[in-house]
Every structure is written in structure tokens, then in C-alpha cells.
Amino acid sequence: MSEIKPSEAASTDDSAEETDWAAAKAFFDNLKTYKPRPPKPRYAVTIAVSSRTLFNMVAERKIYEDEGLEKYVAYQQEHESEPLKPGAAFPFVKALMTVNTRLRELYPDSEELFDIVLMTNNHAQVGVRLINSINHYDLTIERFCMTGGKSPIGYLKAYMTNLYLSKDAEKVTEAIEEGIAAATMFMPETEAETKLSDTQLRVAFDGDAVLFSDESEIIVKKHGLDSFFEHEKEFENKPLAQGPLKCFLEALGKLQRKFYEKNERMNCPIRTFLVTARSAASSGARVLKTLRSWGLEIDEALFLAGAPKGPLLQKIKPHIFFDDQMFHIEGAKELGTISAHVPYGIGQKYHKGKLIEQPEKKK
Amino acid sequence: MASTVQNTDVKQKDADRAVVVAVTSREVFKSGPDDGGEILEIDESHLLLKLLHRVNERLEEENPEEPLLFDVILITTDSQRQQQSSRIISSTKHYGLEISRFCFASEDDFAESLQTNNVQLFLTTDRNEASQAAQKGVLSALLDQRVAISTSDQLRVMFCEDAVIQPDSGHTPSFAAQMGEMRRRFRLSDSPLSFILVTLHGGRDRCADSLLTLRSSGLSVDEAYCLAGAPRGPILSVLQPHFMISISSSGLEK
């Protein structure tokens, strides 16, 4: 998968880049009311969110589907002073802002921050309502792309995106194929019993086909669990290949270390969780050794040995949980966890252990 | 001395309603050695003419009597080119380009010719030419160098607060109104014409202000990008605008 950020650009591009940067800095420094200025993309951890993940636009979406684009845009324009309600990615975005505040306190001159970009293929006129809604909740989102129907994939790359969240599985799949960490977000079906943390960003990851490649999952699906256990024991010391979210975990780890360096380990506002169906006894070692070989830390590793993930996630209360299998996503949603599906690997061809009959691909 | 000649091969546009766009002959025809041959070699930038023509075609599909069309003038802006007037005319006819008039001017008087020909938009790759025209009160836009290689079949017009060419605040609103009207002849999707707003340095509120200002001038842009200091190069390579019109940011200070 791709590096966290691309290598240095050519020197002529650099000076143009610096001019744009300096002009933006001047703009934000001169604002009458203080607003934190967005970081330099090259150094930031860039999270791109779609409008439907940031805000709840279910009703509006229905208008689009039933009455068409023109009626939908007109509706949005008529209601543009009414703020939209929060969507699935909203708590995650608020948690990112909390981390940024802590980072700015400790490192006032650093550009190593989260940068939140609104990436939508909505029409620009709908954008007015989106901007008004962002203002209503005072979210620190200053960068956006409203592509008026065109694919956002090129812009994801242009912004050096580290993670893309959308409701559209096709766009997410395309992003992953282009080497960008991405996931399709789902609202939980029930209200979580207690609120999510507002002082700590909590991110939960599945292991196989999310942080790691799907190589071991292929063995389970094709040869069964016993073969899988044997294989994992035999290759315990051989690191697994990377999965689509590995670089995002790496980016989180880099920011965590900035807190550790200032003696804030006990009070770190980022906490990561591995929630895997692997068992500690038989197949867990390989996972931990792989992470170690990558130089990555994960705060808590939870081996479920096949038990359902839902109840455990209820206790963890992450702002987002990434898994490649819809079966686990559904289980998490039912019990109130905000889930994000990573459409990668062999898991996409199976549902609850059975091969899905693929319909003829439409031309 | 500048002169204007009609292209008899092309139907003349409505003098009151058409949007007069001037393109320099330098963008359309390659300057080559004066080998005496009649026909000049055409430059890839003539793609722009194709896109303007395509908008006109689609407008006439909706309404065969449509008066609000692009009316393209080909202008020479240096004396050397001015000498090649007959070759320019014959080459234009040879390639069947939809140019209604030719204006043969030199460095000294081209800006005035733009005025006398009621040019509402002057397109050039030359920053100096654009500045000179702007000083005479003609709305000027820089042609993107990449227009030659763009694969888009949609004319993409970008509004941006880059201060390289000082905008003439008098003309932009009325041009925006005409463009808005033209844009409304088409549906939101599948339009041969797309308007893009890019905010390079300001934050989201700056972009929202520009969106609303353009909207109140009569133009609802299709796409909007707020860069807030992010490097413009990578974004513009994806955006692929054909030309860029400068909008004033000074009036929008909070």
C-alpha cells in the first residue's frame, strides 16, 4: 500500500507551494475571530469525509432518488440556512479536533496535525448548506472539494489523503484500488447506551484484510480453520503482508509518539484497538509479531477466538470500527457501534462463510 | 492600423445577445517559417474553439433560434501576424473553424480593437496581453497551457481570486449574468459547459461568500474547491480548467 505521504516535490513546485502556503497563513493570521489554520498537507494526516458521512442526509438523498437532481439541489438551496443533523463520521471528526487541540498546545508550531477535508460530489450550490452546517457546529473544516458529479478519486490523491470515508461503496473500492485507505461508513442501529469519549479518539481495527492482507483469510475460506491454525503456527515468524488500513494505523502511531515524547503517555488522546476473530493461543502470535516487525504499536489487542465482536465493541466504544466483513459490521451496528466496511480481499465474495453467487457484471 | 473582416463562410451572430469572445491567432495557428505556403499549421489549442463551438451546437439543439451564443473573433496582436492576414483567413476557412470575424491589429492597438469590437472576453496565454486588455476595461482570462492536452469534451471555466490579472469589477458581474443564463439552458448534469470556483488562500467562509456573490450576479457555479493554502498544482491538474477568470477578493474582506 502507499507510503504515508509522497516524496519531495520538484523545487519549482516547492516555491509555488510556499507562496500559496504563506498567503493562506496571512489570511488566517489576520482574521478578526481566531480560527486554527489548516496544516500543510505534506505533514498532516489528511482525513477526507463525504457529505453523507459527516451529516445525516437520508431524507435529502430520498428526494434525489425519487425526484431527480434538479429537485434535490433546489430543495437543498431552499433549506440552506437549516443546519443538517450529524452523520456517522461526525463523532470521529469531533474526536480528531480534540486531538488537534491537544497537539497544538504541546507543539504550537508543528504542521503534524489532522487535516479534515470535505470531499463530496455534490453540486456547489448544495455546498452553501454544507458550509452553513459546518459553521453551526464550529467544525474545523476549511478545505473542501465539491465536484458537481465528477469522481473525487483524483482529488483524494491531490490532497495526499490518508483516509477516505464515504457512504458510497463504489467510490471506496476505487480509492482502495488506488492505494488510499478507505471505508464505507454505517450509522449504528441503536443509540449507544453511554456517550463516546470527548477527550480521547478511540479507533478499532479488525486484523486480517484490514491491517494485514487477506492471505490468511484465503486459507480459512478455501481450506478451513484447521489448515489455517497449522499454517499460522508454521509461519508465526513470517510477517503478514500489509492491508489497506496499515498506513492509517502508522499515521496514528506517529501522532501518539508526539504525546509520549512530552510525557503524556498516560493521558494520550489517541487509543487504538485490534479486534480480531483470531485466538491468542493458536494464531494470535503471528499478528503481534507482524506489528512489531513494522515498528507499530497497538494499545489493546483483543483476540475473540471466533466470538461475536458486537458486545466487546460496546465496551470499547470506539469512534470508528474498521472491518472487511459485512457480517461483523452488521453485528457491531446492531449493538450501537459506528462501523466502517473495508471492501478488500476475499471476504467480499463470502457472506457468513458461504460463497456469494455473483450476478452477471453489468456492462 | 487595425482592420476587421467578416468570415463569409460562417453565419454572423446576434449583435445584441451573443457573447463575443476573442482568441489570438497565436493560440490557433502555429507560427512557422514563412515558406510561402498558403495554409498555416493548426495548433492543438484550437481545441478551445471546438469546445466553444460544441456549446453553440448544444444551445441550438435546445433552441434553433437561440441568440445567446458564443461569437468568436480571431485577433492578431502583433505586426508580424498582422502581415499574414490573408493566410489566416484562408486557413480558418480551410479548417472550417467557427470564427465569425477577424481582427488584424498589432501590439499598439489590439486592446483598442477589442473594445471597438465589443469583446466581452479576451482569451490569451500571454499575461502581458491580458493585463493590457484588462487596463482598457476588457475582461481577460488566461488560457491554461494544458488546454492543448485536456481530454475533456466539456468547456470548463474557472473563477479564482488569483491577483495576477487584476479583475475589472465592472465587467465580471455582467459576464457572470450572461454565463449564468447560458448555463441554465442545460440541465445540471451532461452540460457542455461547467463553471468552477476555486478559493486558493482563504477559508470556507471566503469561498461561501464568493459562491453567493456569483449566485447573486446570476451564475450558479457547478463545482467549488477551497484549498486554504494547499498547493494548487495537484488540484488544478485534476480540475483541468480551460481558462481562468480572476474575481476580486478585496470586496469580500470580513
Side-chain angles (χ1 to χ4, degrees), chain B residues 48-107:
Chain B
L48 178 70
L49 295 180
K50 277 202 169 135
L51 294 173
L52 290 165
H53 181 54
R54 193 168 131 66
V55 174
N56 282 355
E57 278 183 332
R58 289 281 304 270
L59 284 167
E60 284 176 323
E61 266 171 42
E62 303 289 326
N63 172 12
E65 308 298 316
E66 178 64 69
L68 182 63
L69 298 172
F70 284 120
D71 183 5
V72 184
I73 293 185
L74 193 64
I75 184 166
T76 59
T77 53
D78 63 77
S79 4
Q80 199 193 26
R81 291 263 178 172
Q82 198 179 24
Q83 306 302 327
Q84 300 191 304
S85 56
S86 59
R87 287 181 76 190
I88 287 173
I89 294 177
S90 50
S91 305
T92 299
K93 293 186 179 187
H94 172 83
Y95 293 109
L97 302 177
E98 200 195 351
I99 287 169
S100 35
R101 277 171 288 160
F102 303 94
C103 184
F104 299 109
S106 68
E107 304 88 341

Coordinates of all heavy atoms in Angstrom, one line a residue, chain B residues 48-107:
Chain B
L48 N -9.9 24.6 -27.9 CA -10.8 25.5 -27.3 C -11.9 26.0 -28.2 O -13.1 26.1 -27.8 CB -10.0 26.7 -26.8 CG -10.8 27.8 -26.1 CD1 -11.2 27.4 -24.8 CD2 -9.9 29.1 -26.0
L49 N -11.6 26.2 -29.5 CA -12.6 26.6 -30.4 C -13.6 25.5 -30.6 O -14.8 25.8 -30.7 CB -12.0 27.0 -31.8 CG -11.0 28.1 -31.8 CD1 -10.5 28.3 -33.2 CD2 -11.7 29.4 -31.3
K50 N -13.2 24.3 -30.6 CA -14.1 23.2 -30.7 C -15.1 23.1 -29.6 O -16.2 22.9 -29.7 CB -13.3 21.8 -30.7 CG -12.7 21.4 -32.0 CD -12.4 19.9 -32.0 CE -12.1 19.4 -33.4 NZ -10.9 18.5 -33.4
L51 N -14.5 23.4 -28.4 CA -15.4 23.4 -27.2 C -16.4 24.5 -27.2 O -17.6 24.3 -26.9 CB -14.6 23.5 -25.9 CG -13.7 22.2 -25.7 CD1 -12.8 22.5 -24.5 CD2 -14.5 21.0 -25.4
L52 N -16.0 25.7 -27.6 CA -16.9 26.8 -27.8 C -18.0 26.5 -28.8 O -19.2 26.8 -28.6 CB -16.2 28.1 -28.2 CG -15.3 28.7 -27.1 CD1 -14.3 29.7 -27.7 CD2 -16.1 29.4 -26.0
H53 N -17.6 25.9 -29.9 CA -18.5 25.5 -31.0 C -19.5 24.5 -30.5 O -20.7 24.5 -30.8 CB -17.6 25.0 -32.2 CG -18.5 24.6 -33.3 ND1 -19.4 25.4 -34.0 CD2 -18.5 23.4 -34.0 CE1 -19.9 24.8 -35.0 NE2 -19.4 23.5 -35.0
R54 N -19.0 23.5 -29.7 CA -19.9 22.5 -29.2 C -20.9 23.1 -28.3 O -22.1 22.6 -28.3 CB -19.0 21.5 -28.4 CG -19.7 20.2 -28.1 CD -18.8 19.1 -27.6 NE -19.2 18.5 -26.4 CZ -20.3 17.8 -26.3 NH1 -21.0 17.5 -27.3 NH2 -20.7 17.2 -25.1
V55 N -20.6 24.1 -27.5 CA -21.6 24.7 -26.6 C -22.7 25.3 -27.5 O -23.9 25.2 -27.3 CB -21.0 25.8 -25.7 CG1 -22.0 26.6 -25.0 CG2 -20.0 25.2 -24.7
N56 N -22.2 26.0 -28.6 CA -23.2 26.6 -29.5 C -24.1 25.6 -30.2 O -25.3 25.8 -30.3 CB -22.4 27.4 -30.6 CG -21.9 28.7 -30.2 OD1 -22.2 29.2 -29.1 ND2 -21.2 29.4 -31.0
E57 N -23.5 24.4 -30.5 CA -24.3 23.3 -31.2 C -25.4 22.9 -30.2 O -26.5 22.7 -30.6 CB -23.4 22.2 -31.5 CG -22.6 22.3 -32.8 CD -21.8 21.1 -33.1 OE1 -21.4 20.4 -32.2 OE2 -21.6 20.8 -34.3
R58 N -25.0 22.6 -28.9 CA -25.9 22.1 -27.9 C -27.0 23.2 -27.7 O -28.2 22.9 -27.5 CB -25.2 21.8 -26.6 CG -24.3 20.5 -26.7 CD -25.2 19.2 -26.6 NE -26.0 19.2 -25.4 CZ -25.6 18.7 -24.3 NH1 -24.4 18.2 -24.1 NH2 -26.4 18.7 -23.2
L59 N -26.6 24.5 -27.7 CA -27.6 25.5 -27.4 C -28.6 25.5 -28.6 O -29.8 25.7 -28.3 CB -26.9 26.9 -27.4 CG -26.2 27.2 -26.1 CD1 -25.3 28.5 -26.2 CD2 -27.2 27.5 -24.9
E60 N -28.1 25.4 -29.8 CA -29.0 25.4 -31.0 C -29.9 24.1 -31.0 O -31.0 24.1 -31.6 CB -28.3 25.6 -32.2 CG -27.9 27.1 -32.4 CD -27.0 27.4 -33.6 OE1 -26.1 26.5 -33.9 OE2 -27.2 28.5 -34.2
E61 N -29.4 23.0 -30.4 CA -30.2 21.8 -30.3 C -31.5 22.1 -29.4 O -32.6 21.6 -29.7 CB -29.5 20.7 -29.6 CG -28.8 19.7 -30.6 CD -27.8 18.8 -29.8 OE1 -28.2 18.3 -28.8 OE2 -26.7 18.6 -30.3
E62 N -31.2 22.8 -28.3 CA -32.3 23.2 -27.4 C -33.3 24.2 -28.1 O -34.5 24.1 -28.0 CB -31.8 23.8 -26.1 CG -30.8 22.9 -25.3 CD -31.5 21.7 -24.7 OE1 -32.6 21.8 -24.3 OE2 -30.8 20.7 -24.6
N63 N -32.7 25.1 -28.8 CA -33.5 26.1 -29.5 C -32.8 26.6 -30.7 O -31.8 27.3 -30.7 CB -33.7 27.3 -28.5 CG -34.3 28.5 -29.2 OD1 -34.8 28.4 -30.3 ND2 -34.3 29.7 -28.5
P64 N -33.3 26.2 -31.9 CA -32.6 26.5 -33.2 C -32.4 28.0 -33.4 O -31.6 28.5 -34.1 CB -33.5 25.9 -34.2 CG -34.2 24.9 -33.5 CD -34.4 25.3 -32.1
E65 N -33.3 28.8 -32.7 CA -33.2 30.3 -32.9 C -32.4 31.0 -31.8 O -32.5 32.2 -31.7 CB -34.6 30.9 -32.9 CG -35.6 30.2 -33.9 CD -35.2 30.4 -35.3 OE1 -34.7 31.5 -35.7 OE2 -35.2 29.4 -36.1
E66 N -31.7 30.2 -31.0 CA -31.0 30.8 -29.8 C -30.1 31.9 -30.2 O -29.2 31.8 -31.0 CB -30.2 29.6 -29.2 CG -29.4 30.1 -28.0 CD -30.2 30.5 -26.8 OE1 -30.9 29.7 -26.2 OE2 -30.2 31.7 -26.5
P67 N -30.3 33.1 -29.6 CA -29.4 34.2 -29.9 C -28.2 34.3 -29.0 O -27.2 34.9 -29.3 CB -30.3 35.5 -29.7 CG -31.3 35.0 -28.7 CD -31.5 33.5 -28.8
L68 N -28.4 33.6 -27.8 CA -27.3 33.7 -26.8 C -26.3 32.6 -27.1 O -26.3 31.5 -26.6 CB -27.9 33.5 -25.4 CG -26.9 33.6 -24.2 CD1 -26.3 35.0 -24.1 CD2 -27.6 33.3 -22.9
L69 N -25.4 32.9 -28.0 CA -24.3 32.0 -28.5 C -23.0 32.6 -28.2 O -22.9 33.8 -28.0 CB -24.5 31.7 -30.0 CG -25.8 31.0 -30.4 CD1 -25.8 31.0 -32.0 CD2 -25.9 29.6 -29.9
F70 N -21.9 31.8 -28.4 CA -20.6 32.4 -28.4 C -20.3 33.0 -29.8 O -20.5 32.3 -30.8 CB -19.5 31.4 -28.0 CG -19.5 31.0 -26.6 CD1 -19.7 29.7 -26.1 CD2 -19.2 32.0 -25.6 CE1 -19.7 29.4 -24.8 CE2 -19.1 31.7 -24.3 CZ -19.4 30.4 -23.8
D71 N -19.8 34.2 -29.8 CA -19.4 34.8 -31.1 C -17.9 35.0 -31.1 O -17.4 35.8 -30.4 CB -20.1 36.1 -31.2 CG -19.9 36.8 -32.5 OD1 -19.2 36.2 -33.4 OD2 -20.3 38.0 -32.7
V72 N -17.2 34.1 -31.8 CA -15.7 34.1 -31.7 C -15.0 35.0 -32.7 O -15.3 34.9 -33.9 CB -15.2 32.6 -31.8 CG1 -13.7 32.6 -31.6 CG2 -15.9 31.7 -30.8
I73 N -14.2 35.8 -32.2 CA -13.3 36.7 -33.1 C -11.9 36.2 -33.0 O -11.4 35.9 -31.9 CB -13.4 38.1 -32.6 CG1 -14.7 38.7 -32.8 CG2 -12.4 39.0 -33.4 CD1 -14.7 40.2 -32.4
L74 N -11.2 36.1 -34.1 CA -9.8 35.8 -34.1 C -9.0 37.1 -34.2 O -9.3 37.9 -35.2 CB -9.5 34.9 -35.3 CG -8.1 34.2 -35.2 CD1 -8.0 33.3 -34.0 CD2 -7.9 33.4 -36.5
I75 N -8.1 37.4 -33.3 CA -7.4 38.7 -33.3 C -5.9 38.4 -33.4 O -5.4 37.5 -32.8 CB -7.8 39.5 -32.1 CG1 -7.1 40.9 -32.2 CG2 -7.4 38.8 -30.8 CD1 -7.7 41.9 -31.2
T76 N -5.2 39.2 -34.2 CA -3.8 39.2 -34.2 C -3.3 40.3 -33.3 O -3.9 41.4 -33.3 CB -3.2 39.4 -35.6 OG1 -3.6 40.7 -36.1 CG2 -3.6 38.3 -36.6
T77 N -2.3 40.0 -32.5 CA -1.8 41.0 -31.5 C -0.4 41.5 -31.8 O 0.2 42.1 -30.9 CB -2.0 40.5 -30.1 OG1 -1.3 39.2 -30.1 CG2 -3.4 40.3 -29.7
D78 N 0.2 41.1 -32.9 CA 1.5 41.6 -33.2 C 1.6 41.9 -34.7 O 0.9 41.3 -35.5 CB 2.6 40.7 -32.7 CG 2.6 39.4 -33.4 OD1 3.0 39.3 -34.6 OD2 2.1 38.4 -32.8
S79 N 2.5 42.8 -35.1 CA 2.5 43.2 -36.5 C 2.9 42.1 -37.4 O 2.5 42.0 -38.6 CB 3.5 44.4 -36.7 OG 4.1 44.7 -35.5
Q80 N 3.7 41.2 -37.0 CA 4.2 40.1 -37.8 C 3.0 39.3 -38.3 O 2.8 38.9 -39.5 CB 5.2 39.2 -37.0 CG 6.0 38.4 -38.0 CD 6.8 37.3 -37.2 OE1 6.4 36.9 -36.1 NE2 7.9 36.8 -37.8
R81 N 2.1 38.9 -37.3 CA 0.9 38.2 -37.6 C 0.0 39.0 -38.5 O -0.7 38.5 -39.4 CB 0.2 37.8 -36.3 CG 1.0 36.8 -35.5 CD 0.4 35.4 -35.8 NE 1.2 34.4 -35.1 CZ 0.9 33.1 -35.1 NH1 -0.2 32.7 -35.7 NH2 1.6 32.3 -34.4
Q82 N 0.0 40.3 -38.2 CA -0.9 41.2 -38.9 C -0.6 41.1 -40.4 O -1.5 41.2 -41.2 CB -0.7 42.6 -38.4 CG -1.8 43.6 -38.8 CD -1.5 45.0 -38.2 OE1 -0.3 45.3 -37.9 NE2 -2.5 45.8 -37.9
Q83 N 0.7 40.8 -40.8 CA 1.0 40.7 -42.2 C 0.4 39.5 -42.8 O 0.3 39.5 -44.1 CB 2.6 40.6 -42.3 CG 3.4 41.7 -41.7 CD 3.0 43.1 -42.2 OE1 2.7 43.3 -43.3 NE2 3.1 44.1 -41.3
Q84 N 0.1 38.5 -42.0 CA -0.3 37.2 -42.6 C -1.8 37.1 -42.7 O -2.4 36.1 -42.8 CB 0.2 36.1 -41.7 CG 1.7 36.0 -41.6 CD 2.1 34.7 -40.9 OE1 1.6 34.4 -39.9 NE2 3.0 34.0 -41.6
S85 N -2.5 38.3 -42.8 CA -3.9 38.3 -42.8 C -4.6 37.4 -43.8 O -5.5 36.6 -43.4 CB -4.5 39.7 -42.9 OG -4.0 40.3 -44.1
S86 N -4.1 37.4 -45.0 CA -4.9 36.5 -46.0 C -4.6 35.0 -45.7 O -5.6 34.2 -45.9 CB -4.4 36.9 -47.4 OG -3.0 36.7 -47.5
R87 N -3.5 34.7 -45.2 CA -3.2 33.3 -44.9 C -4.1 32.8 -43.7 O -4.6 31.7 -43.7 CB -1.7 33.1 -44.6 CG -0.8 33.1 -45.8 CD 0.6 32.9 -45.4 NE 0.8 31.4 -45.2 CZ 1.9 31.0 -44.6 NH1 2.9 31.8 -44.3 NH2 2.1 29.7 -44.5
I88 N -4.2 33.8 -42.8 CA -5.0 33.4 -41.6 C -6.5 33.2 -42.0 O -7.1 32.2 -41.6 CB -4.9 34.6 -40.5 CG1 -3.6 34.5 -39.8 CG2 -6.0 34.4 -39.5 CD1 -3.2 35.6 -38.9
I89 N -7.0 34.1 -42.9 CA -8.4 33.9 -43.3 C -8.6 32.6 -44.1 O -9.5 31.8 -43.8 CB -8.8 35.1 -44.2 CG1 -8.9 36.4 -43.4 CG2 -10.2 34.8 -44.8 CD1 -9.2 37.6 -44.2
S90 N -7.6 32.3 -45.0 CA -7.8 31.1 -45.8 C -7.6 29.9 -45.0 O -8.3 28.8 -45.2 CB -6.9 31.1 -47.1 OG -5.6 31.4 -46.7
S91 N -6.7 29.9 -44.0 CA -6.5 28.7 -43.1 C -7.7 28.5 -42.3 O -8.2 27.3 -42.1 CB -5.3 28.9 -42.2 OG -4.1 29.2 -43.0
T92 N -8.3 29.5 -41.8 CA -9.6 29.4 -41.0 C -10.7 28.7 -41.8 O -11.3 27.8 -41.4 CB -10.1 30.8 -40.5 OG1 -9.1 31.4 -39.7 CG2 -11.4 30.6 -39.7
K93 N -10.8 29.2 -43.1 CA -11.8 28.6 -43.9 C -11.5 27.1 -44.3 O -12.4 26.3 -44.3 CB -12.0 29.4 -45.2 CG -12.6 30.8 -44.9 CD -12.9 31.6 -46.2 CE -13.4 32.9 -45.8 NZ -13.9 33.7 -47.0
H94 N -10.2 26.9 -44.5 CA -9.7 25.5 -44.8 C -10.1 24.5 -43.7 O -10.6 23.4 -44.0 CB -8.2 25.6 -45.0 CG -7.6 24.2 -45.2 ND1 -7.6 23.6 -46.4 CD2 -7.0 23.4 -44.3 CE1 -7.0 22.4 -46.2 NE2 -6.6 22.2 -44.9
Y95 N -9.9 24.9 -42.4 CA -10.2 24.0 -41.3 C -11.7 24.1 -40.9 O -12.1 23.4 -40.0 CB -9.3 24.3 -40.1 CG -7.9 24.0 -40.4 CD1 -6.9 25.0 -40.5 CD2 -7.4 22.7 -40.4 CE1 -5.6 24.7 -40.7 CE2 -6.1 22.4 -40.7 CZ -5.2 23.4 -40.8 OH -3.8 23.1 -41.0
G96 N -12.4 25.0 -41.5 CA -13.9 25.1 -41.2 C -14.1 25.6 -39.7 O -15.0 25.2 -39.1
L97 N -13.2 26.5 -39.2 CA -13.4 26.9 -37.8 C -14.5 27.9 -37.7 O -14.7 28.8 -38.6 CB -12.1 27.6 -37.4 CG -10.8 26.7 -37.4 CD1 -9.6 27.5 -37.0 CD2 -11.0 25.5 -36.6
E98 N -15.3 27.8 -36.6 CA -16.4 28.7 -36.5 C -16.0 30.1 -35.9 O -16.2 30.4 -34.7 CB -17.5 28.1 -35.6 CG -18.9 28.7 -35.8 CD -19.9 28.4 -34.7 OE1 -19.6 27.5 -33.8 OE2 -20.9 29.0 -34.6
I99 N -15.3 30.8 -36.8 CA -14.9 32.2 -36.4 C -15.7 33.2 -37.2 O -15.7 33.1 -38.5 CB -13.4 32.3 -36.6 CG1 -12.6 31.5 -35.6 CG2 -12.9 33.8 -36.6 CD1 -11.2 31.3 -35.8
S100 N -16.4 34.1 -36.6 CA -17.3 35.0 -37.4 C -16.5 36.2 -37.9 O -16.9 36.7 -39.0 CB -18.5 35.4 -36.7 OG -18.3 35.5 -35.3
R101 N -15.5 36.7 -37.2 CA -14.8 37.9 -37.7 C -13.3 37.7 -37.4 O -12.9 37.0 -36.5 CB -15.3 39.1 -36.9 CG -16.6 39.7 -37.5 CD -17.2 40.7 -36.6 NE -17.7 40.2 -35.4 CZ -18.0 40.9 -34.3 NH1 -17.6 42.2 -34.2 NH2 -18.5 40.3 -33.3
F102 N -12.5 38.4 -38.2 CA -11.1 38.5 -38.0 C -10.8 40.0 -37.6 O -11.3 40.9 -38.2 CB -10.3 38.2 -39.3 CG -10.7 36.8 -39.8 CD1 -11.6 36.7 -40.8 CD2 -10.0 35.7 -39.3 CE1 -12.0 35.4 -41.2 CE2 -10.3 34.4 -39.8 CZ -11.3 34.3 -40.7
C103 N -9.9 40.1 -36.7 CA -9.4 41.5 -36.4 C -7.9 41.5 -36.5 O -7.2 40.7 -35.8 CB -9.9 41.8 -35.0 SG -9.5 43.5 -34.5
F104 N -7.4 42.3 -37.4 CA -6.0 42.3 -37.6 C -5.4 43.6 -37.0 O -5.6 44.7 -37.4 CB -5.7 42.3 -39.1 CG -6.2 41.0 -39.7 CD1 -7.3 41.1 -40.6 CD2 -5.6 39.8 -39.4 CE1 -7.8 39.9 -41.1 CE2 -6.1 38.6 -40.0 CZ -7.2 38.7 -40.8
A105 N -4.7 43.4 -35.9 CA -4.2 44.5 -35.1 C -2.7 44.2 -34.8 O -2.2 43.1 -35.0 CB -5.0 44.7 -33.8
S106 N -2.1 45.2 -34.1 CA -0.7 45.0 -33.7 C -0.6 45.2 -32.2 O -1.6 45.5 -31.6 CB 0.2 46.0 -34.5 OG -0.1 47.3 -34.0
E107 N 0.7 45.1 -31.7 CA 0.9 45.3 -30.2 C 0.3 46.6 -29.8 O -0.2 46.7 -28.6 CB 2.4 45.4 -29.9 CG 3.2 44.2 -30.4 CD 3.7 44.3 -31.8 OE1 3.2 45.1 -32.6 OE2 4.7 43.5 -32.1

